[in-house]
Amino acid sequence: MMAEAFELVAVGPAHARVLSMLHQGAFGRDAGWNEGAFARLLETPGTFGWVAQVAGAEGPQPVALVVARAVADEAEILTIGTLPSVRRKGLARGLVRAAAAEAATCGAGRLFLEVAVDNPPGVALYHALGFEEVGRRKRYYARPDGTRADAIVMARAVA
C-alpha cells in the first residue's frame, strides 16, 4: 500500500491536549491517556515524541502519535497510535523509525515496545521493522468487555 504523505512534528508538554485527543481517538475514550498524563510524561528527562500530520481542508491535521523514553542504553516506545481512518498508510512505520533514530541519538542500543497479542496488524508491523519477541506480560491490556489480553514485549537494535 502506498504510504500517506505526512509530516512529523516533535512534541513536548505544550502538546499534551493534542496527544490526549489522538490517543483517545486511536484507543477509545476509556483507554486513552489524559492531558495531564501526557504533560507529566513529556516533562520527564529522556522522553520524546512526534505527531504525524496529513494535509486537510483546514490545514495540517494530526492523525497519529508516538511517545518514547530513553534511559541509559535502552529506549521504549511508551505509546503509539493512529486514528482508525488513516491506518495502514505508513504512518506508524514512520513514527517507529523516528523513535528509533532519536533513541540512537540518545545513546540507546535497543528499542523496546509492547503490543497486544490480539493486534495482528501491529505485531506484523513490528516484525517487519525488525522487532523480535523477547517476553510476555500476562493479562496486561484491559478490554472494554472486562477481559484482559497479554502483551508481547518486543525489541530491536536501533542502529
Side-chain angles (χ1 to χ4, degrees), residues 2 41 67 99 148 150 153:
M2 172 96 38
L41 185 60
V67 176
R148 299 189 70 85
D150 291 354
V153 180

mmCIF file of all heavy atoms in Angstrom, residues 2 41 67 99 148 150 153:
data_model
loop_
_atom_site.group_PDB
_atom_site.id
_atom_site.type_symbol
_atom_site.label_atom_id
_atom_site.label_comp_id
_atom_site.label_asym_id
_atom_site.label_seq_id
_atom_site.Cartn_x
_atom_site.Cartn_y
_atom_site.Cartn_z
ATOM 1 N N MET A 2 0.482 2.243 -0.734
ATOM 2 C CA MET A 2 1.230 3.498 -0.825
ATOM 3 C C MET A 2 1.188 4.225 0.514
ATOM 4 O O MET A 2 0.139 4.314 1.148
ATOM 5 C CB MET A 2 0.610 4.371 -1.914
ATOM 6 C CG MET A 2 1.149 5.758 -1.992
ATOM 7 S SD MET A 2 2.466 6.110 -3.171
ATOM 8 C CE MET A 2 2.110 5.178 -4.585
ATOM 9 N N LEU A 41 4.453 13.183 31.533
ATOM 10 C CA LEU A 41 5.362 12.274 30.849
ATOM 11 C C LEU A 41 6.392 13.047 30.027
ATOM 12 O O LEU A 41 7.594 12.766 30.083
ATOM 13 C CB LEU A 41 4.570 11.320 29.956
ATOM 14 C CG LEU A 41 5.336 10.220 29.263
ATOM 15 C CD1 LEU A 41 6.021 9.311 30.264
ATOM 16 C CD2 LEU A 41 4.389 9.417 28.390
ATOM 17 N N VAL A 67 5.170 8.320 21.527
ATOM 18 C CA VAL A 67 5.914 8.868 22.657
ATOM 19 C C VAL A 67 6.830 7.761 23.151
ATOM 20 O O VAL A 67 6.399 6.613 23.309
ATOM 21 C CB VAL A 67 4.983 9.353 23.791
ATOM 22 C CG1 VAL A 67 5.795 9.823 24.997
ATOM 23 C CG2 VAL A 67 4.076 10.476 23.297
ATOM 24 N N ALA A 99 11.285 7.302 16.152
ATOM 25 C CA ALA A 99 11.595 6.971 17.547
ATOM 26 C C ALA A 99 12.911 6.214 17.646
ATOM 27 O O ALA A 99 13.721 6.476 18.543
ATOM 28 C CB ALA A 99 10.460 6.170 18.179
ATOM 29 N N ARG A 148 -8.895 -9.431 29.590
ATOM 30 C CA ARG A 148 -7.546 -8.862 29.533
ATOM 31 C C ARG A 148 -6.746 -9.633 28.497
ATOM 32 O O ARG A 148 -6.886 -10.839 28.364
ATOM 33 C CB ARG A 148 -6.886 -8.910 30.901
ATOM 34 C CG ARG A 148 -7.676 -8.099 31.942
ATOM 35 C CD ARG A 148 -6.949 -7.934 33.243
ATOM 36 N NE ARG A 148 -5.801 -7.056 33.163
ATOM 37 C CZ ARG A 148 -5.847 -5.722 33.279
ATOM 38 N NH1 ARG A 148 -6.984 -5.119 33.467
ATOM 39 N NH2 ARG A 148 -4.744 -5.008 33.219
ATOM 40 N N ASP A 150 -2.858 -10.474 26.791
ATOM 41 C CA ASP A 150 -1.423 -10.475 27.040
ATOM 42 C C ASP A 150 -0.736 -9.440 26.151
ATOM 43 O O ASP A 150 -1.207 -9.135 25.053
ATOM 44 C CB ASP A 150 -0.815 -11.835 26.727
ATOM 45 C CG ASP A 150 -1.238 -12.919 27.694
ATOM 46 O OD1 ASP A 150 -1.922 -12.611 28.698
ATOM 47 O OD2 ASP A 150 -0.880 -14.083 27.442
ATOM 48 N N VAL A 153 6.213 -8.436 24.511
ATOM 49 C CA VAL A 153 7.310 -7.482 24.640
ATOM 50 C C VAL A 153 8.267 -7.756 23.478
ATOM 51 O O VAL A 153 8.689 -8.890 23.276
ATOM 52 C CB VAL A 153 8.045 -7.641 26.000
ATOM 53 C CG1 VAL A 153 9.176 -6.631 26.110
ATOM 54 C CG2 VAL A 153 7.064 -7.502 27.156
#
